[in-house]
């Protein structure tokens, strides 16, 4: 599977997302649709973006009882998305249920990726609020990645800094989908630990998820192509 750049389409509504996507006339980017856009516009937005020829990572981070997640994944799979995700904290039965739900009648299914610990969760929150006290945060991340691998998932969302370790622990074929990417000469914004597209490639990321360095650029197509050149070529 080739490396690719996934553009995080964090827009509030369809007018904004369509004006953005209209800019891309030749290479159609793989796009990430998150909760904001999905809940604002509903499943139609997925169908419309798919119809325009984009691959889609539907980032809804499911976390519920196995039966509910299985049935919901079946609905999402029918939207013909290419990748979707859930919280590894939902545990193995939920992850296996999700995989079953995603499988289409022809045997195909979208890639399924797990969120380990959200990057907004720090060690204090993990220990004091989630009561995970016996392991440091990076070890919890690796444990969740292993659980996801053992449940049959395709990979995890992680920081590019963790990609190498995840591959060492879960195998080279286990996908690392990594946000937190910035150009060397760009704004870091609210991201804390960032890597450039070249560094993410060297670290072994399989997909980089890039939002504002592309969406807020004065020339989004040039910024996207710069990412592709640095990360994929
Ligand atoms: O604009 P930016 O490049 O920071 O966007 C990164 C995207 O990746 C956003 O959609 C953000 O919600 C998502 N993300 C992240 N860090 C995580 C998980 C997801 O930045 N740990």
């Amino acid at each position: 599977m080739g490396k690719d750049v996934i553009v995080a389409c964090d827009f509030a509504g369809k007018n904004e997302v369509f004006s953005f996507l209209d800019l891309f006339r030749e290479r159609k980017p793989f796009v990430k649709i998150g909760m904001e856009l999905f809940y604002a516009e509903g499943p139609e937005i997925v169908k419309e973006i798919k119809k325009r020829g984009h691959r889609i990572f539907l980032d809804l981070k499911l976390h519920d009882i196995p039966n509910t997640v299985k049935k919901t994944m079946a609905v999402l799979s029918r939207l013909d998305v290419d990748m979707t995700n859930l919280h590894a904290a939902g545990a193995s039965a939920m992850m296996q249920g999700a995989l079953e739900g995603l499988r289409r009648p022809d045997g195909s299914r979208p890639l399924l990726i797990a969120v380990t610990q959200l990057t907004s969760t720090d060690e204090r929150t993990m220990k004091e609020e989630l009561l995970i006290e016996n392991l440091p945060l990076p070890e919890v991340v690796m444990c969740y990645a292993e659980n996801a691998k053992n449940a049959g998932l395709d990979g995890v969302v992680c920081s590019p800094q963790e990609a190498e370790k995840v591959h060492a622990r879960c195998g080279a074929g286990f996908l690392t989908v990594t946000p937190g990417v910035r150009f060397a000469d760009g704004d870091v914004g609210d991201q804390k630990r960032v890597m450039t597209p070249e560094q993410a490639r060297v670290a072994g990321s399989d997909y980089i998820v890039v939002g504002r360095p592309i969406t807020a650029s004065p020339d989004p197509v040039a910024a996207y192509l710069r990412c592709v050149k640095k990360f994929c070529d």
Side-chain angles (χ1 to χ4, degrees):
M1 201 167 319
K3 288 175 181 287
D4 209 348
V5 175
I6 302 179
V7 181
C9 287
D10 294 322
F11 296 104
K14 68 176 176 191
N15 293 339
E16 293 91 329
V17 77
F18 289 150
S19 347
F20 173 73
L21 293 177
D22 281 345
L23 300 171
F24 295 84
R25 305 225 170 259
E26 280 158 33
R27 185 174 169 134
K28 303 271 182 188
F30 197 147
V31 300
K32 178 170 90 72
I33 300 176
M35 287 188 240
E36 183 187 9
L37 189 57
F38 188 79
Y39 291 139
E41 300 291 351
E44 275 310 307
I45 193 75
V46 175
K47 293 183 193 161
E48 288 185 42
I49 294 178
K50 191 78 199 179
K51 230 187 285 165
R52 287 167 166 246
H54 297 270
R55 286 196 289 156
I56 296 177
F57 170 19
L58 189 56
D59 177 18
L60 299 182
K61 301 188 179 68
L62 270 61
H63 187 172
D64 207 319
I65 60 171
N67 184 55
T68 301
V69 169
K70 177 178 169 178
K71 292 197 300 187
T72 306
M73 286 297 190
V75 173
L76 299 183
S77 187
R78 288 200 289 275
L79 291 176
D80 202 20
V81 297
D82 299 277
M83 182 187 287
T84 190
N85 63 359
L86 46 62
H87 276 282
S92 304
M94 186 199 80
M95 292 195 267
Q96 284 157 3
L99 279 175
E100 283 171 36
L102 283 177
R103 177 105 25 222
R104 303 184 182 110
D106 66 0
S108 70
R109 67 163 174 81
L111 293 169
L112 184 60
I113 304 295
V115 173
T116 56
Q117 278 291 358
L118 291 171
T119 42
S120 51
T121 306
D122 59 13
E123 197 123 353
R124 186 205 64 78
T125 314
M126 203 182 68
K127 289 192 187 342
E128 291 179 15
E129 294 188 33
L130 305 181
L131 306 185
I132 304 173
E133 290 179 335
N134 53 344
L135 287 175
L137 203 153
E139 194 46 36
V140 172
V141 168
M142 289 305 145
C143 241
Y144 281 18
E146 259 179 345
N147 291 346
K149 162 87 182 162
N150 293 337
L153 269 67
D154 303 294
V156 285
V157 179
C158 63
S159 141
Q161 272 98 347
E162 293 157 351
E164 206 175 328
K165 260 205 193 137
V166 168
H167 283 138
R169 190 95 158 234
C170 300
F174 191 64
L175 301 173
T176 52
V177 178
T178 67
V181 173
R182 291 292 179 267
F183 292 120
D185 54 5
D187 252 0
V188 171
D190 55 359
Q191 293 283 7
K192 300 237 160 20
R193 296 186 305 139
V194 299
M195 274 193 176
T196 64
E198 306 86 303
Q199 288 167 333
R201 182 179 66 185
V202 172
S205 294
D206 296 288
Y207 293 91
I208 50 172
V209 177
V210 189
R212 287 158 295 178
I214 294 173
T215 56
S217 161
D219 186 345
V221 176
Y224 168 69
L225 293 174
R226 185 177 171 200
C227 274
V228 168
K229 189 167 166 43
K230 304 274 183 194
F231 181 67
C232 312
D233 295 348

